[in-house]
Amino acid sequence: MSQTTTEERNAIQASVRSLMEDRNTEADVRRVMETAEGHDPAVWQQLVELGLTGLVIAPEFGGAGLGPVELELVMEETGAALLASPLLSSSVLAAGLLTAAGDAAVNKRLLSAIAAGKTIATVAMTGDAGTWTADGVAVSARADGDKWLLDGRANYVTHAQLADVLLVLARTPAGIRIFEVAAKAAGVTISPLPTFDRTLRLARIDFAGVAAMPVGTAGWPAAEAALQLVLVALAGEQAGGARRMFEKTVDYAKTRIQFGRAIGSFQAIKHMAADLLIEVESATSAARAAATALDAAGEGSNEPADAAIHLAAFACADAYTTVTATAVQMHGGIAFTWEHSAHLYLRRARAQAQLFGAPAYHRERFLTALGA
Amino acid sequence: MTTEISDDALRAEVRAWLKANYRPEELRGATLWSSTPETRAWLTKVLEAGWATPRWPAEWWGRSLPEHQARIVEREFAAVKAPGAGQDRGNLYANTAMAYGNDALKAHFVRGILTGEINMCLLYSEPGAGSDLAGIRTRAELKGDNYIVNGQKVWTSGAMTADYGMLIARTDWDAPKHGGISFFFLPMKQPGVEVRPLRQVTDESHFNEVFITDAVCPVDNRLGAEGAGWRVLQTALAYERSVMGDGARGPRNASAKVSLIDLARDAGKLNDPVLRQDLARVIAYRRLNDLNNARAKADLKEGTSSPIMSLGKLAMSRILHEEARLRTSMLGAASLLEGKDFPVSDDANFLSLNAYFTSIGGGTDQIQRNIIGERVLGLPKEPEVDRDVPFREVRAG
């Protein structure tokens, strides 16, 4: 079980919230999302100082050694504030993959650098299929003497254009394995992609005979473990984002006057708000329950975390898209403008509903986990 | 104040008392709500031991325990499924009497209510006053020491066996609608009170209509001042809501214990990818509600109240309607049938109709959304055109 107390967890969450309020206002988000890097290196340094880049990395590699419960709370805050950052790619997905792969030598070097924020890593997991499943892996690895060479394509790779290190899932004759490649290695072509969610960075990566170093021997199972962690983090982002957009919308309904009344006094609006509150609360409950389940599974509980995680994955994705889409409608014309924040949340919600598996996929996995 | 006792000592005392006194077989399956000589004997024992009203002082059979210790008592009773403890939190009638009754009323009613000697029912809704409860038109007129009551009430369960009904009736037709209402304990066993069972949409009868013609109610049976009944009602409703939340009754047959997944498997549809999406969505509604409730409970333990509590009923009505819809759609043509020979169909059809028990009863979903919008989210109320108008000028229909 998580070794932090409620007070400590509240303190972690409060410190992230305060950082977001100081350094990641809506104006900051709009500025950063238009830059090529897509993140603010000064804020990255603040994340490092708060220990967030090493939050789930073991203390022996310089991390805080915390788990999914604390991670989820942190992500509620970054999600609420629309933080544009490689945090999820490097410190959750890549760190989670390396931890699960358990290659001591690689971890000593790479996890320490990731925890210190000196290295940004990401994971190339899916090809053009964009499924984030074993089927979707479209890079192959062939042995060439004592070296390995990668060929093929990875797509929808988060923050690849920022990364120093790529962790690549690739097919070998003996199954899928994990390989480490420097982003600048010969034969690697990283093509940044235009994203609907401007706070996100995605790239396509083509590999042409790229020399790569295998990481551990655990292949796809390690990827599944990393996906579990990233889905919990993403669920936290979605729950936090949904809540923030919902609060903004309720505030607006109290102050916007039409027909001589606050629009929130109309049942047409009030009833939408009541329904959205169920979505927001359910998303928070689902995300936190998934974090708790993964935490317990990490401690060797027999309770499978699968059902809780896939439930959170689709429930939070659906809640976030429903809340943000309905929020635009409840605001009316003002939210049809670029200047209003509603579209930033709607874009992020729509993007996060596709990353690491779409809701329909998670519903399938949820049923399978229930034995159906 | 009684002498203070440690949590552990209290827990041990309750446990020992239950061990020495509780014989579930003596209750023969009777519940707290079906009054039998055995349940009345048991409830009297609980009352006299101080467990029925642990928060109240000794003069009201209590022990003046603080809230957390009263909960300990309730938990010990719940652990062995013994009824009757903590009625100072859960008994709507006793609490309302204590909060608003005069000394004579309290002395006359409270003990009997707690021990099941006195059976009660609710006389609130009328055919013309459902969601708009303050629009009631049952009238009570003071004649000497009695009120004479005329009108019609509906959705009353337990009216057949009740000794008294908690009644709201209009005593002032010139005051605006909320201001002209008074609150009574109306004697039910009298010629002016006629109870008729109501045949429900499910073809069952759990509720009654109550026709009141020149019924007599002693003035001492009024709770609160004349015209202050709306406030008394709010207190009574709050007690009611605090112990509600079980939602609708379960199905008639055992078939609905079959999970949605098993039903899909039995219907040969578990491999249908479209059905599977629907199935996951519907199962999730219930799971998410369970998770919300668990989080609300944990929040309460840490001393912060949660808005989630007020969402439960609205969430439950979606769950029940959606589960019934999915059961029906998985059954297909078999849902044309009903009766004991077709229990799965019978349950699906019953649940489809009985879901309205939750989405209409105790405040429709639409009223719940108003309450959530206004009390939880702080959105302004709709203007009410009849609010400050003398009631006799208010439109009805």
Side-chain angles (χ1 to χ4, degrees):
Chain A
M1 289 295 287
S2 156
Q3 70 270 40
T4 51
T5 64
T6 306
E7 289 72 28
E8 286 166 334
R9 289 198 290 272
N10 289 343
I12 294 171
Q13 195 173 11
S15 67
V16 180
R17 184 178 310 151
S18 143
L19 173 64
M20 293 299 113
E21 282 165 4
D22 291 347
R23 302 294 298 272
N24 193 60
T25 63
E26 187 186 327
D28 294 322
V29 171
R30 286 176 181 273
R31 177 176 48 75
V32 169
M33 76 183 192
E34 300 301 343
T35 61
E37 304 77 38
H39 87 129
D40 181 343
V43 170
W44 181 254
Q45 208 44 51
Q46 299 277 319
L47 298 176
V48 172
E49 280 165 29
L50 275 180
L52 299 183
T53 48
L55 192 77
V56 296
I57 293 172
E60 58 179 310
F61 306 120
L66 297 177
V69 172
E70 295 80 11
L71 174 65
E72 189 277 337
L73 291 175
V74 166
M75 301 311 281
E76 284 185 23
E77 297 303 324
T78 59
L82 299 172
L83 177 67
S85 170
L87 188 68
L88 192 75
S89 299
S90 188
S91 296
V92 181
L93 184 59
L97 184 68
L98 289 170
T99 302
D103 185 321
V106 173
N107 286 353
K108 192 167 180 200
R109 174 171 50 82
L110 257 185
L111 275 179
S112 309
I114 290 171
K118 292 193 168 73
T119 290
I120 292 175
T122 189
V123 183
M125 199 174 272
T126 193
D128 291 344
T131 55
W132 286 273
T133 59
D135 292 354
V137 172
V139 178
S140 56
R142 60 194 150 92
D144 180 24
D146 56 353
K147 289 195 304 185
W148 287 88
L149 299 176
L150 303 187
D151 288 286
R153 171 179 284 183
N155 209 339
Y156 309 107
V157 184
T158 56
H159 300 99
Q161 53 269 66
L162 283 172
D164 308 297
V165 172
L166 307 173
L167 299 170
V168 185
L169 278 295
R171 296 180 182 286
T172 75
I176 293 172
R177 287 188 67 180
I178 305 162
F179 294 89
E180 178 192 347
V181 175
K184 292 198 169 66
V188 174
T189 308
I190 298 178
S191 313
L193 299 169
T195 47
F196 175 70
D197 170 15
R198 308 281 176 99
T199 66
L200 177 67
R201 289 295 176 272
L202 291 176
R204 190 174 59 230
I205 311 177
D206 289 291
F207 298 90
V210 177
M213 198 182 79
V215 177
T217 52
W220 190 255
E224 279 277 339
L227 281 169
Q228 287 195 323
L229 187 66
V230 87
L231 286 171
V232 165
L234 196 65
E237 274 249 342
Q238 291 164 326
R243 186 175 293 278
R244 183 63 56 83
M245 190 66 240
F246 177 68
E247 287 167 354
K248 284 168 180 265
T249 305
V250 170
D251 285 347
Y252 184 72
K254 289 177 187 174
T255 51
R256 168 71 172 171
I257 308 291
Q258 291 286 277
F259 302 100
R261 298 158 57 177
I263 61 168
S265 68
F266 289 102
Q267 292 186 352
I269 296 295
K270 193 176 287 173
H271 289 195
M272 290 165 109
D275 287 337
L276 291 190
L277 180 61
I278 296 183
E279 298 294 324
V280 168
E281 295 297 349
S282 299
T284 303
S285 297
R288 292 184 185 177
T292 305
L294 183 57
D295 189 48
E299 298 295 319
S301 154
N302 290 323
E303 187 79 18
D306 260 19
I309 290 170
H310 291 290
L311 171 65
F314 73 81
C316 295
D318 290 342
Y320 198 12
T321 47
T322 301
V323 168
T324 52
T326 309
V328 172
Q329 187 65 29
M330 289 170 75
H331 276 83
I334 189 70
F336 196 67
T337 65
W338 187 262
E339 285 72 22
H340 197 274
S341 62
H343 77 100
L344 301 178
Y345 285 89
L346 176 57
R347 285 164 186 269
R348 182 121 149 172
R350 286 171 52 93
Q352 292 189 338
Q354 299 301 327
L355 283 179
F356 314 116
Y361 165 74
H362 293 299
R363 278 191 281 274
E364 257 305 324
R365 291 285 308 260
F366 170 64
L367 271 195
T368 309
L370 295 183
Chain B
M1 289 289 290
T2 47
T3 41
E4 285 182 22
I5 179 170
S6 77
D7 292 358
D8 286 341
L10 175 66
R11 199 173 288 117
E13 186 186 343
V14 181
R15 224 169 261 185
W17 187 88
L18 282 167
K19 194 156 191 245
N21 292 284
Y22 186 47
R23 302 280 174 273
E25 63 282 3
E26 285 173 11
L27 295 178
R28 284 182 293 187
T31 70
L32 183 57
W33 312 117
S34 58
S35 184
T36 65
E38 292 81 12
T39 60
R40 289 195 287 273
W42 166 251
L43 290 173
T44 303
K45 224 180 218 184
V46 176
L47 179 92
E48 285 169 355
W51 308 131
T53 55
R55 298 162 181 83
W56 291 354
E59 61 170 313
W60 299 105
W61 320 283
R63 295 175 167 235
S64 300
L65 293 182
E67 180 61 27
H68 83 274
Q69 290 198 325
R71 295 276 180 160
I72 290 175
V73 175
E74 291 176 24
R75 274 199 294 275
E76 289 304 319
F77 270 68
V80 295
K81 298 194 170 71
Q87 295 191 61
D88 47 1
R89 182 174 65 89
N91 191 311
L92 146 75
Y93 304 108
N95 277 289
T96 308
M98 286 297 279
Y100 287 100
N102 60 26
D103 289 345
L105 182 135
K106 286 194 274 190
H108 191 261
F109 283 99
V110 177
R111 184 183 167 101
I113 292 171
L114 294 171
T115 59
E117 302 291 334
I118 298 176
N119 292 301
M120 302 286 297
C121 67
L122 300 175
L123 302 170
Y124 294 166
S125 295
E126 297 178 6
S131 291
D132 181 16
L133 194 54
I136 52 159
R137 284 170 185 273
T138 292
R139 64 173 65 227
E141 289 166 289
L142 188 59
K143 298 260 169 71
D145 290 340
N146 293 301
Y147 283 91
I148 306 302
V149 185
N150 282 282
Q152 185 186 343
K153 294 288 176 179
V154 72
W155 306 124
T156 299
S157 51
M160 289 289 188
T161 53
D163 302 300
Y164 291 86
M166 291 217 297
L167 167 79
I168 47 171
R170 190 162 301 280
T171 44
D172 184 349
W173 295 71
D174 294 313
K177 68 180 191 182
H178 295 86
I181 295 170
S182 301
F183 197 104
F184 303 95
F185 274 17
L186 176 74
M188 293 291 285
K189 304 267 161 62
Q190 60 170 310
V193 176
E194 188 198 345
V195 178
R196 290 186 210 157
L198 191 72
R199 191 170 174 185
Q200 292 159 216
V201 67
T202 53
D203 205 5
E204 302 166 308
S205 288
H206 293 289
F207 295 105
N208 304 281
E209 293 178 284
V210 180
F211 296 85
I212 308 169
T213 311
D214 290 332
V216 178
C217 185
V219 70
D220 266 347
N221 285 16
R222 193 188 69 226
L223 281 78
E226 194 176 274
W230 187 252
R231 203 154 58 89
V232 182
L233 176 70
Q234 295 313 304
T235 308
L237 290 176
Y239 281 119
E240 196 175 343
R241 288 196 195 103
S242 76
V243 292
M244 262 175 54
D246 290 348
R249 291 181 318 111
R252 298 194 256 235
N253 307 291
S255 92
K257 290 219 177 91
V258 178
S259 74
L260 291 169
I261 290 173
D262 289 339
L263 198 59
R265 190 177 286 123
D266 293 348
K269 294 183 177 168
L270 199 51
N271 293 321
D272 175 344
V274 177
L275 186 272
R276 286 176 69 84
Q277 288 290 311
D278 201 2
L279 188 57
R281 225 179 250 117
V282 174
I283 292 172
Y285 287 141
R286 193 176 278 275
R287 291 219 161 196
L288 292 169
N289 193 47
D290 291 346
L291 293 175
N292 279 340
N293 289 334
R295 187 158 64 87
K297 270 192 188 155
D299 284 354
L300 269 181
K301 246 188 206 162
E302 289 180 7
T304 48
S305 81
S306 164
I308 297 170
M309 294 308 247
S310 52
L311 296 177
K313 184 171 172 298
L314 185 57
M316 186 53 73
S317 82
R318 177 168 74 173
I319 292 166
L320 296 171
H321 279 288
E322 282 290 285
E323 287 180 348
R325 176 191 60 74
L326 182 57
R327 278 177 186 275
T328 308
S329 103
M330 289 193 288
L331 286 170
S335 71
L336 290 163
L337 308 176
E338 70 170 6
K340 293 221 176 310
D341 291 342
F342 302 97
V344 181
S345 300
D346 198 76
D347 280 335
N349 287 322
F350 168 79
L351 291 170
S352 299
L353 294 176
N354 206 51
Y356 291 101
F357 175 88
T358 296
S359 63
I360 295 176
T364 62
D365 283 359
Q366 286 63 39
I367 293 292
Q368 286 303 119
R369 289 187 177 96
N370 283 350
I371 291 172
I372 293 163
E374 288 158 19
R375 300 199 195 148
V376 178
L377 300 175
L379 293 169
K381 286 174 82 76
E382 293 260 342
E384 292 168 68
V385 294
D386 60 353
R387 184 148 192 113
D388 297 315
V389 180
F391 189 76
R392 61 174 78 253
E393 293 168 22
V394 169
R395 278 182 67 187

